[in-house]
Amino acid sequence: MKAMVIKSFGGSDVFELADITKPQVKAGHVLVNIEASSVNTVDTMIRQMGAELPLAPPLPAVLGMDFAGTVEAIGEGVTQFSVGDEVYGCAGGLAELPGTLAEYIVADVNLIAKKAKNLSMREAAAIPLVGITAYEGLVRANTSKGQNVLVHGGSGGVGHIAIQLAKHMEANVFATGGGAKQTALIEKLGAKSINYKTETVEEYVNKHTGGTGFDVVFDSVGGENMTNSFNAAALNGQVSSTVSLVEIDLSVAHFKGLSLHVVFMLIPMLHNYKRAAHAEILNKLTEIAEAGALRPVLDEQSFSLEAAGKAHDRLASGQGMGKVVIDIK
């Protein structure tokens, strides 16, 4: 089968088109003919940092985590899927799990689900990692009807999905963005936009919550922005963060009695720990999408398998809007 292989870690030019052995299905897995894969920031981090990350695969490697495609063969013990099913998931591209920048993948059935009938393969491929992350963060924060929810980075990959899911949970949703295109997308998705470049945290907390703060803050920006999340949260508020690699003074969190939820959705894949939870979330996301409440935004540029490096560059440039998708077929 065709695949984009890396033999060293580094720049986007490390990808090489190669013919590699088509994988054989095994127990508890299905063989999927991949039609599309999307690029996530963690993919670019693995490519660049390699062994500096504890989740990097051994070389030579096939990167890529998200995919959508059609089941071609069923492994022993698999009863929930049939040949011909259209599926999606986040099932490879790190540690010992071969990635999705290839024509086929043998995927653990606990990491995939049937895709929504009203979404294209490209749209379905854009959802898994960001969808699971957003769903987990909102659920762990006990997001519920009528709450005021703030999403930091509302136009980003995780953020734009979090907005839609919080809306589905019947919360009052607000989101930060840094420009006209970003705030326009936020408004289109049904949230109240906040331009963090022109409004301080104190100003928008007063404006939108009367000074009490947000019940839930979903922070997909992380780093130093964690301080903004703490300052924006209400007393006994919930903060979910997807980027918590930061040294920070927790005094504000202490005096507000905040709960911090760190979302690292790769844990089930890395440690083979509670993987079935990912299948459950993906099935839920399929239901929400089929109900018309979830549709990913795709970047206007499209890329072939051979242009995987350019797709990585597109994501890293920050110029794209929505998920960057690679067409495998």
Side-chain angles (χ1 to χ4, degrees):
M1 67 175 182
K2 290 182 179 179
M4 291 300 281
V5 176
I6 65 168
K7 297 177 181 177
S8 63
F9 296 108
S12 61
D13 58 349
V14 297
F15 288 106
E16 298 179 25
L17 183 65
D19 283 314
I20 64 175
T21 303
K22 179 180 175 180
Q24 298 297 308
V25 73
K26 57 185 178 180
H29 292 63
V30 293
L31 175 66
V32 180
N33 187 346
I34 300 174
E35 290 197 29
S37 175
S38 68
V39 185
N40 296 291
T41 299
V42 66
D43 297 317
T44 64
M45 292 173 63
I46 291 174
R47 189 207 75 229
Q48 290 174 308
M49 300 173 65
E52 295 178 41
L53 289 176
L55 45 85
L59 296 173
V62 176
L63 302 185
M65 298 183 183
D66 285 339
F67 73 94
T70 305
V71 175
E72 189 169 285
I74 303 293
E76 182 182 353
V78 175
T79 59
Q80 63 269 59
F81 297 104
S82 302
V83 171
D85 283 345
E86 295 184 337
V87 297
Y88 75 132
C90 181
L94 76 172
E96 301 299 324
L97 301 174
T100 58
L101 294 181
E103 292 182 302
Y104 291 90
I105 186 173
V106 171
D108 185 337
V109 295
N110 289 317
L111 297 174
I112 67 173
K114 293 179 182 178
K115 82 168 188 65
K117 294 181 177 65
N118 59 330
L119 296 184
S120 68
M121 286 289 189
R122 301 182 80 247
E123 289 173 322
I127 291 177
L129 186 147
V130 295
I132 292 170
T133 300
Y135 186 88
E136 181 183 344
L138 291 169
V139 169
R140 285 174 59 184
N142 297 311
T143 305
S144 59
K145 180 178 181 178
Q147 288 186 319
N148 289 325
V149 174
L150 173 65
V151 177
H152 280 304
S155 64
V158 176
H160 90 281
I161 298 295
I163 287 175
Q164 295 178 71
L165 294 180
K167 290 284 292 181
H168 179 71
M169 295 171 180
E170 300 184 83
N172 305 314
V173 188
F174 306 80
T176 59
K181 290 176 62 176
Q182 288 77 15
T183 55
L185 175 58
I186 287 167
E187 295 280 350
K188 182 179 179 181
L189 293 172
K192 178 63 179 177
S193 63
I194 297 168
N195 190 328
Y196 68 86
K197 293 181 179 179
T198 60
E199 289 186 87
T200 67
V201 174
E202 183 179 9
E203 286 172 343
Y204 64 71
V205 165
N206 287 332
K207 179 179 178 180
H208 298 297
T209 72
T212 61
F214 296 90
D215 303 298
V216 174
V217 180
F218 189 106
D219 190 347
S220 66
V221 176
E224 295 180 358
N225 194 62
M226 186 80 78
T227 300
N228 294 332
S229 293
F230 290 164
N231 288 330
L235 299 177
N236 291 146
Q238 310 282 323
V239 177
S240 286
S241 171
T242 64
V243 192
S244 303
L245 300 172
V246 62
E247 294 183 10
I248 193 170
D249 184 350
L250 294 176
S251 297
V252 174
H254 174 86
F255 287 111
K256 281 189 168 184
L258 303 180
S259 295
L260 174 62
H261 309 274
V262 177
V263 182
F264 184 48
M265 68 77 65
L266 300 179
I267 286 174
M269 296 170 65
L270 281 170
H271 305 289
N272 195 11
Y273 174 76
K274 295 183 177 180
R275 285 186 177 179
H278 276 195
E280 292 172 6
I281 294 174
L282 287 169
N283 279 311
K284 187 66 177 179
L285 294 175
T286 294
E287 292 178 15
I288 295 171
E290 290 184 341
L294 175 63
R295 184 175 292 274
V297 175
L298 305 186
D299 184 53
E300 62 185 7
Q301 294 190 16
S302 58
F303 300 88
S304 65
L305 176 61
E306 293 83 355
K310 292 181 179 178
H312 274 225
D313 289 340
R314 176 66 173 173
L315 178 63
S317 74
Q319 299 301 308
M321 287 287 290
K323 290 297 297 289
V324 174
V325 176
I326 296 172
D327 296 309
I328 307 300
K329 294 180 68 176

